[in-house]
Amino acid sequence: MQRRQIEEKLEKLRALLQKLETEGMENIRQKRILADMDDDFRENEGAKLVMEDHEFLHLRVFRLKKEILELKKALFKLRK
């Protein structure tokens, strides 16, 4: 990849990460309220689904951060 392509992809990934960290977390918060999650949510099916969504969101954020780091490394190598 060329430097400009890497920078553009990095910019898009950062924007997506920002969106996930704000809007995604807000959606999870709203779902938690609607699922009436108490301290003991093991018996609540709706709460279980919310927790799965929450874990999936964190996995997506982790993968995005990892990809951003790889692009930063590639960009750094091109600058040398």
Side-chain angles (χ1 to χ4, degrees):
M1 265 190 210
Q2 294 179 350
R3 183 177 175 209
R4 184 67 190 143
Q5 290 174 328
I6 293 173
E7 288 173 346
E8 288 173 358
K9 187 171 183 180
L10 189 59
E11 185 177 317
K12 289 177 185 177
L13 290 177
R14 284 180 177 160
L16 181 59
L17 179 64
Q18 177 68 26
K19 183 178 179 181
L20 279 178
E21 288 182 334
T22 55
E23 293 176 15
M25 288 301 202
E26 181 62 26
N27 289 340
I28 295 294
R29 189 180 73 77
Q30 290 296 325
K31 287 180 182 180
R32 288 178 74 114
I33 291 170
L34 292 174
D36 192 29
M37 291 181 70
D38 292 330
D39 292 335
D40 187 21
F41 59 86
R42 291 171 288 203
E43 302 296 323
N44 186 341
E45 284 299 317
K48 288 179 185 177
L49 293 173
V50 171
M51 292 307 293
E52 287 177 7
D53 286 349
H54 191 241
E55 290 172 7
F56 182 68
L57 177 70
H58 279 290
L59 182 62
R60 288 180 63 197
V61 167
F62 173 75
R63 287 182 179 163
L64 270 175
K65 286 181 178 181
K66 185 176 178 181
E67 190 173 352
I68 287 171
L69 179 63
E70 293 299 321
L71 286 174
K72 284 182 177 181
K73 287 179 182 178
L75 194 58
F76 182 73
K77 287 180 183 177
L78 286 175
R79 288 184 180 170
K80 282 190 170 183

